[in-house]
Amino acid sequence: MLKNQINEIRDEALQAFKGAASTKELYDLKVKYLGRQGSLPAIMKKMKDVSPEERPLMGQAMNQAKDALETAYLKFEEELKRGELTKRLSEEKLDMTLPGPPSKLGAHHPIEMVFDEIIDIFSRIGYYVRSGPMIETDDHNFGALNIPPEHPARDMQDTFYIDEEHSLRPHTSPIQIRTLRSEKPPFYVLGPGGVFRCDSDVSHSPMFHQIEGLVVDKKVSMADLKGTLSYFASEFFGKSIKTRFRPSFFPFTEPSAEVDCSCPLCNGKGCRMCGHTGWVEIGGCGLVHPNVLSASDLDNSEWQGFAFGMGIERMAIIKYGISDIRLFYENDNRFLEQFRR
Ligand code: PHE
């Protein structure tokens, strides 16, 4: 009877499955008995010789045999897999004390370093940081800073306009206005940030950085301003640095001055960096114009102040002797790696 043959093959296969030593061996046995050329399917070919009565019985036996083998296969496979995994894990030894692959340390960007250092120097004398958006209103950028509508600073050639009312801030001075209007004096504020002007060559970039300083208190004088910026320059560039103040003009300060310090590269003797003058300019400053205070609803007979603005790229160029402003924005590692702290 074919049915008996089927059952014999089934039992033989089950026995063989049980004895398989690896998943690979088990799989080969599955192919041998159940595969397309396997011994069980081979019996199907004999179907045509079977009497019609016996056929259903044979089909049934065939299906049962196949099911039994499939189930047994899955069971043994699972067991073998588990055994193989345990064996592999016990053989593979991980040395947790081995050093990992070296991780590359990044370097601070010189612009960030200069910001950090300036903020650090001023925070030692009580200053704190405030900020503002890069897209500013006309009033914050100009109007409230006493810059009249016809002033050249408002010109499209200098300022990137977004629309009639808004532009990319061309300086950090709007942070003065935001502070004056949102907090109560006294103020000892720093306003660091990115600024934008239509300008581009070796010493100008359309996007650069400034830091604003604003002090508002009772009885603030030009002497306080000079003392503060001299303190800053000697902390930032070195004790031997001298400062000088040249009369200048800004609509939002009165009187106004430009601050120079003796060239830290040649110690004031004259070199390429300072254009052989012995002095380098570090920023603009002055006493806060009374109109700026009153435009922000502060009583200008009660409060006085000074403000200053410095270019960060300029400070970095002077401090590190950098020849081209574009180096700051190219992300060339050979340049940036030199500023590892
Ligand atoms: N905002 C001026 C500039 O961008 C700098 C400045 C700030 C001058 C504060 C005086 C007081 O050139």
Side-chain angles (χ1 to χ4, degrees):
M1 281 255 286
L2 277 180
K3 191 180 152 202
N4 292 341
Q5 276 186 38
I6 291 172
N7 289 344
E8 268 163 34
I9 295 174
R10 181 196 65 196
D11 293 343
E12 184 192 316
L14 281 175
Q15 210 51 43
F17 281 8
K18 206 187 245 175
S22 69
T23 45
K24 162 93 179 62
E25 211 179 303
L26 182 67
Y27 180 77
D28 290 345
L29 287 169
K30 179 179 168 184
V31 172
K32 180 176 165 201
Y33 290 104
L34 291 168
R36 224 177 316 158
Q37 317 286 339
S39 28
L40 262 188
I43 294 201
M44 291 302 276
K45 293 193 188 104
K46 297 184 181 161
M47 199 68 145
K48 58 182 185 322
D49 308 327
V50 171
S51 67
E53 301 82 58
E54 211 189 323
R55 254 180 226 172
L57 289 176
M58 188 185 146
Q60 212 176 24
M62 180 63 83
N63 285 339
Q64 279 169 358
K66 275 187 182 165
D67 281 352
L69 288 182
E70 289 288 355
T71 313
Y73 176 79
L74 289 177
K75 181 177 144 242
F76 290 127
E77 190 196 31
E78 169 74 26
E79 277 170 18
L80 287 170
K81 261 192 189 159
R82 209 176 310 133
E84 282 168 14
L85 181 69
T86 320
K87 185 159 170 271
R88 211 178 73 221
L89 286 180
S90 71
E91 279 167 4
E92 261 175 26
K93 283 216 172 55
L94 264 186
D95 183 352
M96 303 299 273
T97 63
L98 275 181
S103 60
K104 284 200 163 179
L105 261 194
H108 286 271
H109 195 281
I111 297 295
E112 201 59 37
M113 289 170 69
V114 170
F115 266 136
D116 284 353
E117 194 176 349
I118 296 177
I119 291 169
D120 184 54
I121 292 171
F122 279 102
S123 65
R124 278 181 243 148
I125 53 170
Y127 285 62
Y128 40 88
V129 172
R130 291 292 180 265
S131 60
M134 289 180 180
I135 297 175
E136 264 294 13
T137 63
D138 220 50
D139 188 47
H140 284 130
N141 276 334
F142 307 115
L145 283 161
N146 199 36
I147 303 176
E150 68 279 7
H151 194 279
R154 293 196 176 204
D155 203 304
M156 296 281 279
Q157 269 143 8
D158 294 306
T159 305
F160 290 107
Y161 277 89
I162 308 270
D163 57 32
E164 290 273 298
E165 261 299 297
H166 299 88
S167 55
L168 295 177
R169 65 178 174 201
H171 53 181
T172 42
S173 300
I175 299 176
Q176 288 190 37
I177 304 305
R178 288 187 172 267
T179 309
L180 290 170
R181 290 183 175 173
S182 64
E183 295 172 47
K184 289 212 175 331
F187 298 124
Y188 289 81
V189 162
L190 293 172
V195 297
F196 306 84
R197 285 182 205 175
C198 302
D199 218 345
S200 187
D201 60 38
V202 253
S203 57
H204 294 89
S205 153
M207 191 278 306
F208 60 106
H209 300 84
Q210 288 188 330
I211 191 159
E212 196 78 7
L214 172 70
V215 165
V216 174
D217 209 333
K218 296 182 175 173
K219 290 199 169 50
V220 174
S221 72
M222 200 68 188
D224 297 315
L225 171 59
K226 289 177 79 171
T228 303
L229 291 182
S230 302
Y231 153 78
F232 165 73
S234 71
E235 290 292 304
F236 187 78
F237 290 116
K239 292 281 176 237
S240 61
I241 293 296
K242 293 189 200 54
T243 44
R244 72 175 186 189
F245 293 75
R246 280 178 292 112
S248 185
F249 175 79
F250 299 103
F252 35 93
T253 47
E254 179 59 34
S256 303
E258 235 128 10
V259 200
D260 296 343
C261 60
S262 52
C263 179
L265 225 67
C266 60
N267 256 324
K269 287 187 200 70
C271 67
R272 232 166 57 97
M273 168 77 77
C274 56
H276 303 282
T277 62
W279 294 93
V280 284
E281 187 191 317
I282 61 167
C285 64
L287 295 187
V288 180
H289 197 292
N291 289 355
V292 173
L293 294 173
S294 53
S296 293
D297 281 335
L298 282 181
D299 181 349
N300 59 28
S301 63
E302 187 186 356
W303 299 102
Q304 292 153 358
F306 66 72
F308 55 86
M310 294 185 284
I312 302 301
E313 280 78 352
R314 226 190 127 58
M315 305 293 277
I317 282 171
I318 299 169
K319 184 156 176 148
Y320 302 116
I322 294 162
S323 55
D324 187 332
I325 195 169
R326 288 169 294 202
L327 284 167
F328 291 122
Y329 316 115
E330 283 167 354
N331 273 345
D332 185 332
N333 264 340
R334 290 167 301 178
F335 173 71
L336 295 175
E337 272 181 346
Q338 299 174 56
F339 298 92
R340 213 178 276 284
R341 308 189 243 232

